[in-house]
Amino acid sequence: MSDNDKIIDEVTSSDYKYGFSTQLDSDTLKPGLSEDVIKQISLKKNEPQWMTDWRLDAYQIWKEMDEPEWANVNYSKPDFQKISYYSAVKKKQIDSLDEVDPELLKTFEKLGISLDEQKRLSGVAMDIVIDSVSVATTFKKTLKEKGIIFCSMSEAIQEYPELVKKYLGTVVPKSDNYYAALNSAVFTDGSFCYIPKDVRCPMELSTYFRINEAGTGQFERTLLIADQGSYVSYLEGCTAPQRDENQLHAAVVELVAMDDSEIKYSTVQNWFPGDSTGKGGVFNFVTKRGVCEERAKISWTQVETGSAVTWKYPSCILKGDNSIGEFYSVALTNNFQQADTGTKMLHLGRNTKSTIISKGISAGHSHNSYRGLVRMGPRAKNARNFSQCDSLLMGDKCGAHTFPYIEVKNPTAKMEHEATTSKIGEDQIFYCQQRGLSPEAAIALIVNGYCKDVLNQLPMEFAVEAQKLLAISLEGSVG
Amino acid sequence: MLEIVNLHASIDNKVILNGINLKINLGEVHAIMGPNGSGKSTLSNVIAGHDGYDIISGDILFDGESVLDFSPEKRAHLGLFLSFQYPVEIPGITVSNFIRTALNEIRKAKGEEPLGASPMLKMMREKMGVLEMDKGFLSRSLNEGFSGGEKKRNEIFQMAMLEPKMAILDETDSGLDIDALRIVANGVNSLRSNRNTFIIITHYQRLLDYIVPDFVHVLFNGKIVKSGDKELAIELEKRGYDWIKKEQE
Ligand SMILES: Nc1ncnc2c1ncn2[C@@H]1O[C@H](COP(=O)(O)OP(=O)(O)O)[C@@H](O)[C@H]1O
Ligand SMILES: [Mg+2]
């Protein structure tokens, strides 16, 4: 076998091994949710009994719960009996880019996404590109040498059951909230990552490299464990717009940061937001949470531009003394999008510190809410929080709302909260135009300046893409 | 280069420019003086294409072509630069990033390749040298927290970088101390050539000692009521605007 053949063989065979086997490919469960459906999901995924039981338990919990009403968003609730919870049917293959929505292609082009990548993202059948395959292979090899595990959740359940069993649901319990319970019962796949003690992960871990496992579906489950003294930077999502026939997305992400470890978790979320009238977009209800042991640090950085409805609060439980939580967020809404995002910083340990920088941008008829909770527990001596929540409005038909919740149970804890609301000034746009920028370029520039503190937290390449994405998402909102 | 023909303009139905006529050739420097509220900034904005004003009648021509329908950026691409009386702040965008973006947008409009990072930096250093600016300036957020004088100097720095064909300096001298004034004037003089023109809007003769104008115009109630050479500026300095007002009554 030539080297190239070997690479192809490796990838395709692992695809077969960890993905869905061929005879299941045409399988779709009938819509609806019941104990039986969950058993079937588990069976089709060839899961051990403990996993099946775990799912069933979650299902029982979910059945008793009510869908939350409190987020500042309006949508017609999904009918959970109309969703099919398991579909192994391959996505409809398209033969060439000519069949792809030209609007989508235009966006790809503006983002500077390569032709091959465009094909992959829009589901065009394509031969394996040797280049990216070998990149992925080298990547896996380097990780393996360091003892880092980075694989799909399905694979982890098969190969590393002890780790999964030990940590799954410890940060986001099954009973945490309605969507977390649902996810626990029916999740189909996601990512699993373990960084061993004192290992510094040498590259940004990105779901992008898991090329053989694209399209993890609507109930994604991610578990990331950083053992003592380790470091990892994890990138989730993709700046290219992702379409999906599934309207409801309810992901759960759990981070475990043990003593002296650090996790940087960066997300660019760009699900289809619906058309300019707001029809057809994705509902994105995500539970993300991390727990920090002593001196550990978790940073959440997110750039949210997609989805019709977003409901998402990446949070940190600062359990260990001297641990640090950070949240940097840009949430942009346009047209009829609604976003209700923010964070929770739960200070349990002594000398714990948290920083919250939230930048909301609303345009069109959209609504953008920041909801943040900072809780200083009774043991949180000398805990510190700094929060800054800014809103930028474009036009007068959109809305920005800020809901800060503060609970302090220790008198030595200190918090600082700053909030501003501003508009892009016509004089700013005119100034830029006078220097040769189009109004669109002017707005992109002003918005990037406004988001700088957050974009600076992203890895360089991701930041550049995120900047372009912000500009594109605001197109047509001038005037 | 620039020709303004019987220009009438209003804002919120209030007529501010009342029949301006002005012709400026390459290589010339014109000073426009006039009391507060006479319409100097309005004239600058209208030439630059601000869409807040209604053009009632008249025309503005660049190189013989009417630009009334052109967007502000298109006028900038044609080589127009306005040094603002009140430059705006753009938080989070550094001076160097802003200038790089502006310069490359203008180059793009002209069909030129963007200027690379290292020639750009070299050019910035050079121009900053002439204007005696600290290089820390480049990484500061555009106009944010700048003193009045720093803002004006930054405007002239941008002008030096963009090398416009026609520059309007709207009260660039106000807020400058005497040393800064001299430095800014040096900057302007070093750019002066027979391939560009300047309109210097000022209240004071002071600046015109350094940048000697070919023509001086007095704007009053939205009209140019007097034109002359630099002697006129000296006379205005001595006598104030009252005699002009009286003459008009
Ligand atoms: N946005 C505006 N709305 C109404 N009147 C304005 C506006 N801007 C300027 N003006 C008026 O136009 C006149 C000329 O102003 P301006 O051009 O700024 O004068 P100058 O620069 O000579 O001091 C003034 O009477 C001023 O009050
Ligand atoms: Mg003025």
Side-chain angles (χ1 to χ4, degrees):
Chain A
M1 253 204 292
S2 75
D3 270 1
N4 281 349
D5 286 347
K6 253 189 243 160
I7 291 167
I8 293 172
D9 191 56
E10 228 177 284
V11 169
T12 45
S13 62
S14 64
D15 195 19
Y16 179 75
K17 186 171 163 203
Y18 303 122
F20 307 112
S21 63
T22 26
Q23 85 242 28
L24 286 178
D25 268 3
S26 57
D27 253 8
T28 305
L29 285 181
K30 281 209 197 75
L33 190 53
S34 66
E35 221 165 85
D36 204 43
V37 165
I38 289 163
K39 279 184 195 152
Q40 283 188 58
I41 293 174
S42 206
L43 184 70
K44 283 181 194 296
K45 293 173 70 67
N46 203 14
E47 287 178 350
Q49 188 59 40
W50 62 267
M51 196 65 239
T52 316
D53 295 342
W54 200 84
R55 289 177 181 276
L56 287 171
D57 185 40
Y59 174 66
Q60 291 308 328
I61 293 168
W62 178 76
K63 271 206 318 199
E64 303 295 315
M65 294 173 105
D66 291 320
E67 204 172 345
E69 299 276 1
W70 47 271
N72 194 27
V73 294
N74 272 306
Y75 60 96
S76 46
K77 299 208 166 121
D79 182 343
F80 295 99
Q81 294 305 334
K82 283 210 176 125
I83 296 172
S84 169
Y85 290 87
Y86 184 89
S87 169
V89 179
K90 277 196 178 146
K91 272 198 187 157
K92 188 177 145 254
Q93 291 277 16
I94 306 173
D95 290 323
S96 84
L97 280 177
D98 299 342
E99 296 170 41
V100 178
D101 181 357
E103 277 297 309
L104 194 64
L105 292 182
K106 251 199 273 172
T107 312
F108 282 154
E109 214 148 277
K110 285 181 202 151
L111 283 166
I113 291 168
S114 76
L115 215 60
D116 285 334
E117 185 62 5
Q118 291 187 21
K119 288 183 184 168
R120 187 180 78 86
L121 291 164
S122 39
V124 175
M126 64 189 280
D127 298 331
I128 292 170
V129 188
I130 300 305
D131 243 16
S132 58
V133 170
S134 46
V135 167
T137 314
T138 331
F139 180 81
K140 282 203 161 160
K141 208 174 132 213
T142 316
L143 293 183
K144 208 169 172 183
E145 279 164 9
K146 298 248 175 199
I148 294 169
I149 303 169
F150 181 42
C151 62
S152 72
M153 199 63 182
S154 309
E155 186 181 345
I157 291 166
Q158 304 294 337
E159 307 286 324
Y160 311 101
E162 291 315 312
L163 280 172
V164 176
K165 229 194 227 170
K166 187 165 171 197
Y167 292 106
L168 189 71
T170 55
V171 187
V172 178
K174 287 172 274 195
S175 58
D176 190 77
N177 68 67
Y178 189 78
Y179 292 106
L182 179 65
N183 175 289
S184 302
V186 302
F187 75 85
T188 32
D189 214 334
S191 304
F192 175 84
C193 175
Y194 171 79
I195 316 289
K197 216 172 148 191
D198 295 326
V199 168
R200 210 185 148 81
C201 184
M203 61 258 280
E204 319 272 353
L205 286 189
S206 161
T207 43
Y208 179 87
F209 284 102
R210 289 184 25 227
I211 48 168
N212 50 340
E213 289 138 75
T216 34
Q218 58 186 143
F219 299 102
E220 202 171 334
R221 186 96 196 181
T222 299
L223 176 58
L224 207 160
I225 303 153
D227 211 327
Q228 292 178 12
S230 68
Y231 166 86
V232 63
S233 165
Y234 186 92
L235 310 182
E236 170 197 61
C238 172
T239 49
Q242 301 189 59
R243 288 190 184 235
D244 200 302
E245 310 89 79
N246 299 318
Q247 229 194 355
L248 173 68
H249 282 251
V252 171
V253 176
E254 296 179 279
L255 309 185
V256 178
M258 296 191 207
D259 292 354
D260 302 293
S261 69
E262 179 176 349
I263 301 176
K264 254 179 98 75
Y265 194 104
S266 313
T267 308
V268 171
Q269 185 270 112
N270 191 19
W271 289 110
F272 183 51
D275 61 19
S276 55
T277 67
K279 274 208 199 86
V282 164
F283 297 167
N284 195 29
F285 301 137
V286 182
T287 308
K288 287 183 161 174
R289 192 176 303 148
V291 60
C292 287
E293 301 291 346
E294 288 191 20
R295 295 170 302 279
K297 176 174 170 184
I298 289 179
S299 294
W300 297 102
T301 305
Q302 58 174 31
V303 175
E304 302 273 327
T305 61
S307 297
V309 179
T310 303
W311 179 95
K312 179 173 181 181
Y313 318 93
S315 306
C316 297
I317 303 172
L318 302 173
K319 183 175 155 213
D321 292 351
N322 303 299
S323 60
I324 298 172
E326 293 175 341
F327 174 73
Y328 300 96
S329 165
V330 171
L332 180 153
T333 53
N334 199 354
N335 298 318
F336 287 86
Q337 281 176 273
Q338 307 173 59
D340 194 301
T341 85
T343 185
K344 289 181 198 167
M345 292 291 173
L346 308 173
H347 293 251
L348 305 180
R350 278 177 227 124
N351 301 317
T352 46
K353 263 195 251 154
S354 63
T355 305
I356 298 172
I357 309 279
S358 159
K359 303 275 181 177
I361 303 160
S362 348
H365 291 79
S366 68
H367 278 271
N368 203 322
S369 302
Y370 168 81
R371 190 184 301 278
L373 167 70
V374 179
R375 180 186 293 152
M376 309 287 198
R379 224 172 50 76
K381 213 173 140 202
N382 289 324
R384 297 273 178 278
N385 163 263
F386 173 76
S387 301
Q388 173 154 358
C389 307
D390 298 329
S391 312
L392 185 68
L393 299 171
M394 302 182 56
D396 47 17
K397 295 188 181 65
C398 54
H401 319 269
T402 304
F403 306 97
Y405 304 90
I406 293 169
E407 292 169 24
V408 183
K409 301 226 169 76
N410 185 303
T412 62
K414 281 214 179 80
M415 344 238 286
E416 264 179 87
H417 182 92
E418 286 173 15
T420 65
T421 301
S422 51
K423 278 194 169 195
I424 292 188
E426 277 170 27
D427 53 343
Q428 282 177 316
I429 295 176
F430 178 62
Y431 185 89
C432 293
Q433 281 184 284
Q434 206 301 304
R435 299 294 135 92
L437 279 69
S438 66
E440 289 79 13
I443 285 180
L445 188 82
I446 296 164
V447 165
N448 280 328
Y450 167 78
C451 300
K452 190 185 78 171
D453 292 343
V454 175
L455 297 177
N456 277 351
Q457 296 295 325
L458 291 172
M460 184 66 175
E461 277 183 45
F462 226 36
V464 172
E465 283 186 38
Q467 280 188 10
K468 285 193 214 156
L469 179 61
L470 289 173
I472 290 168
S473 309
L474 283 172
E475 254 172 32
S477 60
V478 192
Chain B
M1 156 81 230
L2 174 76
E3 202 177 343
I4 297 174
V5 191
N6 199 22
L7 184 68
H8 290 74
S10 67
I11 191 163
D12 296 338
N13 294 319
K14 182 177 160 195
V15 178
I16 300 182
L17 299 182
N18 241 317
I20 305 254
N21 287 289
L22 190 62
K23 192 166 183 228
I24 299 180
N25 298 307
L26 282 179
E28 293 174 355
V29 172
H30 291 237
I32 296 181
M33 305 179 80
N36 282 332
S38 55
K40 302 183 296 294
S41 293
T42 303
L43 178 62
S44 320
N45 284 338
V46 168
I47 296 173
H50 195 299
D51 68 359
Y53 302 88
D54 296 314
I55 308 295
I56 306 164
S57 63
D59 208 346
I60 302 174
L61 310 163
F62 285 10
D63 294 328
E65 183 185 18
S66 173
V67 296
L68 286 185
D69 292 336
F70 290 5
S71 64
E73 62 271 29
K74 185 153 182 201
R75 298 183 201 201
H77 300 160
L78 291 174
L80 176 71
F81 181 91
L82 171 58
S83 167
F84 285 80
Q85 184 175 0
Y86 303 109
V88 302
E89 297 179 1
I90 304 186
I93 296 298
T94 59
V95 171
S96 64
N97 183 359
F98 183 73
I99 294 180
R100 182 168 45 93
T101 308
L103 190 69
N104 282 336
E105 286 287 336
I106 293 173
R107 289 176 73 99
K108 192 167 85 188
K110 290 188 193 154
E112 294 170 12
E113 288 293 306
L115 193 63
S118 96
M120 179 87 70
L121 195 63
K122 188 163 166 266
M123 189 175 169
M124 286 183 181
R125 291 234 169 94
E126 229 173 77
K127 307 283 184 182
M128 287 175 90
V130 176
L131 294 169
E132 299 181 30
M133 292 165 80
D134 187 88
K135 64 176 185 302
F137 222 84
L138 287 178
S139 46
R140 287 174 66 182
S141 212
L142 190 75
N143 291 323
E144 203 183 22
F146 282 25
S147 70
E150 284 174 329
K151 284 185 185 171
K152 297 302 177 68
R153 213 185 282 203
N154 183 30
E155 294 288 287
I156 298 304
F157 175 41
Q158 293 180 45
M159 179 179 80
M161 288 295 297
L162 299 178
E163 299 179 329
K165 219 162 133 185
M166 185 175 114
I168 305 172
L169 276 55
D170 190 359
E171 296 203 24
T172 300
D173 52 344
S174 21
L176 292 185
D177 60 34
I178 193 75
D179 291 329
L181 189 77
R182 191 181 37 78
I183 292 163
V184 162
N186 278 345
V188 172
N189 286 332
S190 71
L191 292 172
R192 247 174 116 161
S193 81
N194 55 11
R195 279 169 292 120
N196 57 26
T197 76
F198 293 86
I199 297 178
I200 314 269
I201 295 173
T202 180
H203 279 298
Y204 308 105
Q205 146 71 13
R206 215 169 55 147
L207 179 65
L208 304 180
D209 283 342
Y210 295 105
I211 309 171
V212 181
D214 301 299
F215 300 93
V216 175
H217 310 278
V218 179
L219 190 66
F220 184 69
N221 279 343
K223 233 180 153 130
I224 290 177
V225 294
K226 226 176 186 54
S227 295
D229 60 11
K230 75 187 223 321
E231 295 306 318
L232 178 58
I234 295 171
E235 194 174 355
L236 284 169
E237 180 87 0
K238 272 198 216 126
R239 298 175 62 187
Y241 291 112
D242 282 352
W243 61 283
I244 303 256
K245 287 183 192 164
K246 288 215 180 79
E247 267 186 28
Q248 292 302 308
E249 277 157 9

